[in-house]
């Protein structure tokens, strides 16, 4: 085994641990934000929030799975949301486990199902919300951008 292969193997293990840690942080963030009523769930609902009060958006999660991968309208919405987030310095991640994500955010007081394709974590501008999980995810996104991974993918932990 060459030195490059050993280094590549170490990086793969380190990257896997980093992504797993980010998945745990994302789960913590979504649960905490939901308790505080700081979640906006749904593509159209998220677009409304971004249009009305972009400064309140702290984090963005885009989710898809194989079933929706060919949905052109959804992909166009994702592109526009990503562009908006990049322009306004909002961190964005992708999650491929739609069912797990839906389980975390879907239930509300009315019991009505929500569309988990786009989830915003918001924070009031007057009194910004601080959460350690949000700080971990911001660092994860910053590290990912430093290696040209503009919209990193996160895997949520299995339950």
């Amino acid at each position: 085994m060459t030195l490059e292969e050993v280094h590549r193997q170490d990086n793969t293990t380190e990257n896997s641990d980093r992504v797993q840690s980010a998945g745990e942080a994302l789960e913590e963030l979504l649960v905490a934000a939901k308790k505080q009523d700081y979640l906006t769930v749904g593509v159209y609902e998220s677009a409304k929030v971004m249009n009305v009060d972009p400064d309140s958006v702290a984090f963005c999660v885009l989710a898809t799975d194989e079933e929706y991968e060919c949905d052109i309208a959804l992909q166009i919405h994702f592109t526009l949301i990503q562009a908006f987030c990049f322009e306004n310095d909002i961190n964005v991640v992708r999650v491929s486990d739609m069912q797990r994500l839906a389980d975390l955010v879907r239930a509300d007081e009315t019991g009505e199902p929500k569309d988990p394709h786009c989830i915003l974590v918001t924070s009031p501008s007057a009194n910004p919300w601080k959460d350690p999980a949000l700080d971990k995810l911001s660092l994860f996104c910053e590290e990912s951008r430093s290696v040209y991974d503009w919209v990193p993918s996160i895997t949520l932990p299995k339950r």
Side-chain angles (χ1 to χ4, degrees):
M1 187 176 273
T2 66
L3 182 60
E4 288 83 14
E5 291 171 335
V6 170
H7 184 65
R8 192 176 312 126
Q9 189 176 27
D10 289 345
N11 282 346
T12 303
T13 304
E14 181 180 307
N15 192 39
S16 175
D17 292 344
R18 198 171 70 86
V19 170
Q20 183 177 359
S21 175
E24 291 167 0
L26 179 59
E27 183 176 6
E28 290 172 24
L29 177 66
L30 293 174
V31 169
K34 184 177 176 182
K35 286 179 184 174
Q36 296 286 331
D37 198 29
Y38 288 163
L39 282 185
T40 301
V41 181
V43 173
Y44 298 108
E45 294 81 357
S46 297
K48 287 179 201 171
V49 169
M50 290 177 167
N51 188 40
V52 173
D53 190 9
D55 293 334
S56 71
V57 180
F59 198 79
C60 179
V61 180
L62 299 176
T64 190
D65 57 14
E66 291 176 8
E67 181 182 342
Y68 293 98
E69 213 166 77
C70 296
D71 185 337
I72 301 300
L74 184 62
Q75 296 307 319
I76 290 170
H77 281 80
F78 279 3
T79 302
L80 293 171
I81 289 168
Q82 286 175 29
F84 180 88
C85 289
F86 292 151
E87 193 167 297
N88 289 281
D89 295 323
I90 299 166
N91 290 313
V92 184
V93 295
R94 277 197 181 251
V95 175
S96 59
D97 190 351
M98 286 270 298
Q99 186 58 47
R100 178 81 179 101
L101 193 61
D103 291 343
L104 286 171
V105 301
R106 193 171 268 171
D108 65 357
E109 308 80 44
T110 64
E112 206 165 300
K114 294 184 178 183
D115 170 27
H117 284 107
C118 182
I119 300 168
L120 298 181
V121 176
T122 57
S123 176
S125 300
N127 186 16
W129 179 54
K130 296 292 180 195
D131 187 84
L134 181 59
D135 294 338
K136 285 181 192 175
L137 287 167
S138 295
L139 180 61
F140 173 79
C141 289
E142 186 178 320
E143 289 171 352
S144 295
R145 282 191 300 271
S146 72
V147 292
Y148 303 107
D149 186 4
W150 302 108
V151 182
S153 292
I154 292 180
T155 303
L156 291 168
K158 300 288 181 199
R159 298 284 174 205

